[in-house]
Amino acid sequence: NLSDRLQAVFAKLTSRGVLSEADVDAAMREVRMALLEADVNFKTVKEFVARVRERAVGQEVMKSLTPGQMVVKIVLEELTALMGTSESRLVFSGRLPAVVMLVGLQGSGKTTVAAKLANLLRKQGKSPLLVACDVYRPAAIDQLEALGSQLGIPVYRGEATDVVAIAEAGVKDAIARMRDVVIVDTAGRLHVDEEMMAEAAALKAALRPDQVLMVIDAMTGQDAVNAATAFAERVDFDGVIVSKLDGDARGGAALSVRAVTGRPIKFAGVGEKLDALEPFHPERMAKRILG
Amino acid sequence: LLRKGPDLDQAFWEDLEDALLQADMGALATSEMVDRLRDLAAREALPDAEAVIDRIQSEIAAEVASDRPDPFGAPPVTVLVVGVNGTGKTTSVGKLAKSLSEAGNRVVIGSGDTFRAAAIEQLRVWAERADVPVVERPHGSDPAAVVFDTLEAAKQRGADTVLIDTAGRLHTSADLMLELAKVKRIAERESPFPVRVVLVMDATTGQNGLVQAREFDRALGLDGIVLTKLDGTARGGIVVAVARELGVPIVRIGVGEGADDLEPFDPGAFAQAIVG
Ligand SMILES: Nc1nc2c(ncn2[C@@H]2O[C@H](COP(=O)(O)OP(=O)(O)OP(=O)(O)O)[C@@H](O)[C@H]2O)c(=O)[nH]1
Ligand SMILES: Nc1nc2c(ncn2[C@@H]2O[C@H](COP(=O)(O)OP(=O)(O)OP(=O)(O)O)[C@@H](O)[C@H]2O)c(=O)[nH]1
Ligand SMILES: [Mg+2]
Ligand SMILES: [Mg+2]
C-alpha cells in the first residue's frame, strides 16, 4: 500500500530533516500511482499531487522523524477534505409531495437505489411513492413493481410512453393517495445520447425535483468524470449515490466526481438487499481509496 | 494527438500519457509503454508523432488480439454468461441469441438468474426478440435446476447452442462464486457438448476490471470476454491488462441497447479509439 511504498522511498534518507527535491519527487510519484490505480481521474490526480507537494516541502515533513508517515497523513487529510463533509440528509423544500429523481448511466443501480431510498424514507416516517419512468428497458417497470411489492411501498406505472406525462401523473397520484415523497426511477442513459439527455432535462424541468441524484457505480474508471460533468451541465444534479461499494473497487471515481462537480456524495449502496443503503462516510472513502 | 503538431516534445508525451490513462489502461502499463516509446524515439527509431502513434496502436492491437477460438464460433456449445452486477449480461445474451440464430444455429436460452427482481421477465422479452426458446423456472429456484432443465430441453430440441444467463454477482462474494462453480459443474455433467464461460465486462469499469477477470477466471476458467457499452466515451482499456495477464480473448463488443448492437471485436479499431 502507499504507506509501505513511501517508507521505501524515505528509507534511503541518511539524515533526518534533509529531504531533497528528488526525495519529494519520488514520494509524489508514489502518491500519483496509488491514486491512479484507485481510479481517481488523471486530472484530479494532477491537481491533488500539486497540493500535497506544497505541504510535503513544508516544515511538518522536513522536521519529521518519519517523513513517509507524515506524507501519508497529509494525503489522507487532503483526500478527506476533498471528499467533503458527510451530508447524508436529503433536503426537501416543504412542498408536498417532495420529489426525488434518479439519473445515471446504464446498470449503475438506479432502480435498486430507488427502492432502497423509499425504504429509508419510510423508516424516517415518510410515505413514499415510487414512479416508474424507464419505458425502454425490458421489464424495468416490472422490476420496480417487484421491489415495491417486496417493501409494501406503492409503485405508480403509467400507460404513456412519454416519461414527463407519466411523472406528472405520478405526482397527481401521490397527492390523491396522500403520499408525501415521490421517487422517480429513470432509464439508464449515455451522456453522449443527446435525445436521452434532453429527456432527462425535460423531466427535471417538469418535475422541479427537490433532489436530483446521480447514481454512480463504485467500479467506474476514468469515464466517471466525463459522465458526471455532462450530467451536471445538461441535467444538473444535487448529489451522488455511489453503488456497489460492497465490492473491492477502490472507488476513486467518487473522489473525482466530487472534486470536479462539487456535488456531495449522499449515500453508499452496499449490497443488493433493499436495506443496503448507508450514509456516506468521507474519511472511510478516503482510506479506501488510499488502499 | 496528431493534430497538435508533428514534433515529439514534452507536451506530446504528456498528452499521449493522458490519452492512455483516460482509456483506463492503468498507471503502470501506461508509464511502461510511454517510457519505452520515448526511449525508441530518442534512439531515433521513431521519427515523429505519427510514427509513435502508429507504433502504440499496433502494440495495443497486438496485446488484445488472440488466436484462441471464439466460443460462439464453433457449435455445438453451451455457454455460461457471467459477470458482476449491471454489466450487460442479460442484454448480451439476447443479442447473441439473435445473431447466432440468424447465422443458422439452433439456439436455446436458459434463464439462470432466478434471484434478481424481474430478471426472468427481462430475459423473456429478449428471447421473444430473438425468436428463440427460453427455459425458465419460478423466481427463487436453484439456478442449477434451471441449467438442468435447459439442457434437457436443448437435447430434446436438437439445439446446438445453449446460452445460460446468470445473476450478477461480485467476485468478493465467496458464496455466490461457489454457486456459480456449482452451476458450471451441473452444466458440464448435463451438456452433451463443450461448456464454455464468457465474462461480460462493462467498458466504463476501471482497474477493478482486472480483479474481476482474475477472480472469475480462477473460479470458473474463462473462454471469452464480451466488452459492453463501447458506444459511450469509455474505452475499456483495462482489457489490455486482462489480455496480458490471463490471455482471455475478447470475443464480442456491445455498442448499444438494441438487439443488433453486438459486433465482432476488432483489435485495430479498439486501439485506434484509444490513441486515434
Ligand atoms: N452488490 C451490489 N449490487 C448492486 C448494488 N446496487 C445495485 N446492485 C445490482 O446492480 C445491478 C443493476 O442494478 P439496477 O438497479 O437494475 O441498475 P439500473 O441503474 O437501474 O440499470 P438500468 O435501468 O438498466 O440503467 C442489479 O443486479 C442490482 O441488484 C449494490 O450496492 N451492491
Ligand atoms: N449503451 C449500452 N447499454 C448497454 C449495453 N449493454 C447493456 N446495456 C444496458 O445496460 C443495462 C444493464 O444491462 P443488463 O443486461 O440488465 O445487465 P446485467 O449484467 O444482466 O445486470 P444484472 O443481471 O442485474 O447483473 C441495461 O440498461 C442495458 O440496456 C451496451 O452495449 N451499450
Ligand atoms: Mg433501472
Ligand atoms: Mg441480468
Side-chain angles (χ1 to χ4, degrees):
Chain A
N1 62 26
L2 182 63
S3 215
D4 301 331
R5 285 148 75 165
L6 285 174
Q7 282 216 20
V9 165
F10 291 119
K12 308 191 200 80
L13 290 182
T14 50
S15 57
R16 169 166 46 96
V18 187
L19 271 186
S20 69
E21 183 96 31
D23 295 325
V24 174
D25 282 352
M28 292 307 104
R29 266 199 298 281
E30 291 300 336
V31 174
R32 175 176 174 275
M33 289 301 260
L35 294 177
L36 287 172
E37 285 167 15
D39 290 324
V40 179
N41 187 267
F42 77 106
K43 283 208 193 105
T44 307
V45 172
K46 281 187 191 169
E47 294 161 7
F48 183 84
V49 171
R51 264 208 303 290
V52 171
R53 177 185 289 274
E54 266 176 43
R55 287 184 63 183
V57 297
Q59 292 304 299
E60 57 192 325
V61 175
M62 291 300 174
K63 290 261 151 43
S64 168
L65 278 168
T66 53
Q69 284 185 29
M70 203 63 219
V71 173
V72 173
K73 176 171 171 296
I74 290 170
V75 171
L76 203 52
E77 279 175 16
E78 292 290 331
L79 278 178
T80 306
L82 196 50
M83 291 295 344
T85 54
S86 68
E87 354 169 338
S88 295
R89 289 177 316 112
L90 293 180
V91 177
F92 297 145
S93 62
R95 173 193 60 150
L96 287 177
V99 177
V100 177
M101 177 177 152
L102 297 174
V103 296
L105 298 177
Q106 289 88 347
S108 57
K110 297 173 295 299
T111 304
T112 307
V113 166
K116 288 177 176 180
L117 267 179
N119 195 18
L120 178 68
L121 288 168
R122 181 179 49 185
K123 287 182 188 154
Q124 293 176 352
K126 302 252 174 249
S127 53
L129 174 72
L130 286 159
V131 175
C133 284
D134 180 353
V135 299
Y136 307 97
R137 167 172 156 156
I141 298 179
D142 294 336
Q143 183 186 3
L144 192 64
E145 282 191 324
L147 297 179
S149 153
Q150 269 182 53
L151 293 172
I153 290 177
V155 176
Y156 178 83
R157 67 180 293 166
E159 301 300 321
T161 50
D162 167 8
V163 297
V164 171
I166 296 172
E168 289 177 334
V171 172
K172 287 208 178 75
D173 189 50
I175 293 168
R177 300 165 70 164
M178 309 228 275
R179 311 301 293 180
D180 59 10
V181 57
V182 164
I183 300 167
V184 181
D185 182 27
T186 70
R189 69 201 65 224
L190 291 177
H191 52 288
V192 291
D193 184 335
E194 186 41 47
E195 228 173 279
M196 288 301 280
M197 293 306 282
E199 176 192 90
L203 188 55
K204 177 183 176 177
L207 284 172
R208 287 173 305 122
D210 295 77
Q211 292 281 315
V212 178
L213 301 173
M214 184 170 180
V215 179
I216 295 185
D217 192 326
M219 59 179 168
T220 313
Q222 299 289 312
D223 199 54
V225 163
N226 297 332
T229 306
F231 272 80
E233 283 170 15
R234 214 60 190 75
V235 183
D236 200 9
F237 52 94
D238 302 290
V240 170
I241 298 183
V242 180
S243 66
K244 309 177 203 173
L245 272 171
D246 45 318
D248 59 1
R250 299 272 287 284
L255 182 82
S256 316
V257 168
R258 165 73 179 169
V260 169
T261 67
R263 303 293 186 267
I265 301 180
K266 301 261 179 187
F267 294 103
V270 291
E272 292 192 82
K273 295 211 172 77
L274 299 181
D275 57 2
L277 190 71
E278 290 178 354
F280 181 71
H281 298 287
E283 342 73 39
R284 251 190 245 167
M285 193 72 216
K287 286 210 179 82
R288 176 186 182 127
I289 287 172
L290 258 194
Chain B
L1 279 164
L2 278 179
R3 275 177 266 127
K4 308 207 174 161
D7 304 321
L8 298 177
D9 54 8
Q10 182 59 21
F12 169 81
W13 293 111
E14 286 179 7
D15 287 347
L16 178 62
E17 186 167 52
D18 288 350
L20 296 177
L21 287 175
Q22 275 208 64
D24 288 308
M25 288 269 300
L28 206 57
T30 295
S31 68
E32 280 174 0
M33 197 169 252
V34 172
D35 287 349
R36 195 157 35 72
L37 271 290
R38 281 189 91 139
D39 180 59
L40 280 173
R43 291 191 273 123
E44 288 170 76
L46 298 167
D48 56 21
E50 181 147 9
V52 172
I53 290 176
D54 280 350
R55 176 74 180 235
I56 286 215
Q57 274 183 16
S58 55
E59 285 199 8
I60 291 175
E63 294 244 40
V64 295
S66 175
D67 47 16
R68 283 177 45 175
D70 171 6
F72 303 109
V77 70
T78 291
V79 183
L80 280 181
V81 177
V82 305
V84 305
N85 309 71
T87 56
K89 297 175 291 301
T90 303
T91 305
S92 299
V93 168
K95 293 172 181 177
L96 282 161
K98 183 166 191 282
S99 63
L100 293 172
S101 152
E102 285 169 350
N105 297 291
R106 298 178 59 85
V107 184
V108 169
I109 295 172
S111 193
D113 182 354
T114 52
F115 168 74
R116 209 209 65 212
I120 294 170
E121 289 78 355
Q122 181 188 8
L123 187 60
R124 198 183 293 146
V125 172
W126 279 108
E128 286 166 14
R129 287 176 180 176
D131 193 18
V132 157
V134 55
V135 176
E136 301 172 4
R137 271 206 176 201
H139 182 253
S141 306
D142 182 352
V146 178
V147 170
F148 184 92
D149 287 359
T150 303
L151 289 167
E152 286 309 299
K155 287 175 233 185
Q156 284 178 23
R157 291 166 162 275
D160 63 11
T161 303
V162 179
L163 305 175
I164 313 263
D165 187 22
T166 65
R169 71 203 61 224
L170 296 181
H171 49 281
T172 46
S173 165
D175 287 346
L176 293 181
M177 294 305 282
L178 282 175
E179 174 189 83
L180 203 48
K182 174 181 164 208
V183 164
K184 184 182 181 194
R185 274 200 308 281
I186 301 299
E188 286 174 324
R189 198 186 65 196
E190 300 299 323
S191 176
F193 26 77
V195 174
R196 305 290 180 226
V197 182
V198 167
L199 177 70
V200 178
M201 287 182 66
D202 185 329
T204 65
T205 305
Q207 299 308 298
N208 197 250
L210 177 58
V211 184
Q212 290 171 26
R214 224 183 251 145
E215 291 305 308
F216 276 85
D217 190 39
R218 191 167 64 89
L220 308 164
L222 295 178
D223 300 292
I225 288 169
V226 172
L227 185 61
T228 63
K229 308 179 196 172
L230 276 173
D231 46 320
T233 49
R235 294 284 165 257
I238 192 61
V239 298
V240 176
V242 173
R244 196 183 279 176
E245 185 175 309
L246 303 172
V248 183
I250 298 145
V251 298
R252 295 292 185 284
I253 60 171
V255 292
E257 302 189 71
D260 296 322
D261 292 332
L262 191 75
E263 294 176 357
F265 177 66
D266 175 348
F270 174 82
Q272 216 173 19
I274 292 178
V275 267

